[in-house]
């Protein structure tokens, strides 16, 4: 599978996954709990398909020189606290200079869904980040990096990543996206940024659930 075909089918699959709750509601008339469960299954199906696409596609130029597996994993693990520190730094910048709240509406919406149905935690902390890395880092950034270099594809990918989250914290998500692009570029393996992204999401969600533990008990 060449780069263009791979990028198209990966992005198209991601779009279908994001649109799936509307289908479950409008076509199947599913109730809210069923929609969450079906959406979680769809997230994992999407992630599985993208892993399949990855192994059917050609290697990109960015992947021609790959770090050893253990080094790539180590970089991914180190990236978890690094990404959390970057989040705190950018949130401070947003608060002081842009007047934005530290609260992420996107994260809050996710926490609310998880409190209604705990199964959704697997979609947001595992399947979701896997799909986002394949879409924004590999299908967009990775496919363009050889032709345009690092900066322009990384900026494009990071901006699209930020707009996809659409909760006003564009600088935050763009900064994280840029970090993930750098990790992918350095290691030559998409799994590196994926490890960081999954670990970061897991810690953020668990922290938010701990803060809202009283509401969680009530559910």
């Amino acid at each position: 599978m060449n780069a263009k075909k791979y990028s198209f089918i990966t992005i198209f699959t991601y779009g279908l996954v994001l649109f799936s709750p509307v289908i479950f509601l409008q076509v199947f008339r599913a109730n809210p709990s069923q929609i969450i469960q079906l959406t979680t299954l769809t997230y994992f199906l999407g992630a599985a398909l993208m892993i399949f696409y990855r192994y059917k596609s050609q290697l990109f130029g960015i992947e021609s020189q790959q770090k050893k597996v253990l080094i790539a994993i180590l970089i991914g693990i180190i990236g978890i606290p690094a990404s959390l520190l970057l989040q705190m730094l950018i949130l401070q910048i947003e608060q002081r200079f842009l007047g934005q709240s530290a609260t992420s509406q996107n994260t809050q919406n996710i926490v609310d869904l998880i409190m209604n149905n705990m199964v959704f935690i697997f979609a947001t902390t595992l399947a979701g980040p896997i799909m986002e890395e394949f879409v924004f880092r590999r299908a967009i950034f990775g496919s363009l990096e050889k032709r345009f270099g690092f900066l322009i594809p990384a900026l494009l990918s990071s901006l699209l990543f930020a707009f996809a989250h659409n909760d006003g914290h564009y600088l935050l998500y763009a900064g994280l996206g840029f970090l993930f692009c750098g990790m992918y570029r350095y290691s030559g393996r998409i799994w590196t940024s994926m490890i960081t992204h999954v670990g970061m999401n897991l810690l953020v969600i668990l922290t938010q659930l701990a803060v809202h533990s009283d509401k969680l008990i009530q559910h």
Side-chain angles (χ1 to χ4, degrees):
M1 188 187 304
N2 61 36
K4 287 183 178 180
K5 184 177 180 181
Y6 166 81
S7 295
F8 173 79
I9 196 170
T10 298
I11 295 170
F12 181 74
T13 299
Y14 184 63
L16 288 179
V17 171
L18 294 185
F19 192 67
S20 64
V22 177
I23 298 174
F24 298 141
L25 176 62
Q26 299 295 331
V27 178
F28 299 105
R29 304 297 180 184
N31 62 46
S33 180
Q34 291 172 330
I35 290 174
I36 293 174
Q37 293 172 358
L38 290 169
T39 300
T40 300
L41 289 175
T42 305
Y43 268 55
F44 275 95
L45 177 60
L49 284 172
M50 290 185 195
I51 292 172
F52 174 75
Y53 302 155
R54 159 65 182 85
Y55 285 105
K56 286 294 183 179
S57 76
Q58 64 188 35
L59 285 178
F60 293 163
I62 196 173
E63 298 164 341
S64 59
Q65 294 184 333
Q66 299 180 335
K67 299 293 183 184
K68 293 182 179 179
V69 174
L70 289 178
I71 294 176
I73 293 173
L74 181 60
I75 295 170
I77 293 172
I78 293 172
I80 297 172
S83 66
L84 294 173
L85 287 172
L86 179 62
Q87 278 196 61
M88 290 189 288
L89 175 62
I90 296 178
L91 283 172
Q92 287 296 315
I93 293 173
E94 288 183 337
Q95 284 181 276
R96 293 188 181 187
F97 299 102
L98 301 177
Q100 287 183 287
S101 168
T103 304
S104 167
Q105 189 59 50
N106 178 66
T107 302
Q108 187 57 55
N109 291 341
I110 290 171
V111 170
D112 289 342
L113 288 171
I114 291 172
M115 288 195 294
N116 287 326
N117 196 319
M118 284 296 294
V119 72
F120 196 63
I121 194 172
F122 298 107
T124 58
T125 61
L126 186 59
I130 289 174
M131 288 193 295
E132 289 178 346
E133 289 308 304
F134 279 128
V135 171
F136 295 102
R137 254 58 71 184
R138 193 166 195 268
I140 297 175
F141 168 70
S143 65
L144 297 174
E145 190 270 345
K146 183 176 181 180
R147 182 176 180 183
F148 297 103
F150 175 83
L151 186 59
I152 293 176
L155 287 173
L156 174 62
S157 166
S158 301
L159 287 173
L160 291 173
F161 180 63
F163 286 124
H165 287 82
N166 192 33
D167 74 347
H169 290 278
Y170 299 115
L171 182 61
L172 172 62
Y173 288 109
L176 289 170
F178 203 83
L179 172 66
F180 297 150
C181 286
M183 296 178 69
Y184 175 34
R185 175 68 183 84
Y186 180 75
S187 69
R189 297 180 184 273
I190 192 63
W191 312 108
T192 302
S193 58
M194 205 173 283
I195 290 170
T196 297
H197 197 162
V198 168
M200 179 193 74
N201 274 27
L202 180 61
L203 289 176
V204 169
I205 294 300
L206 289 179
T207 300
Q208 290 297 315
L209 288 175
V211 170
H212 297 86
S213 59
D214 54 333
K215 295 181 181 179
L216 190 61
I217 292 172
Q218 293 174 10
H219 281 79

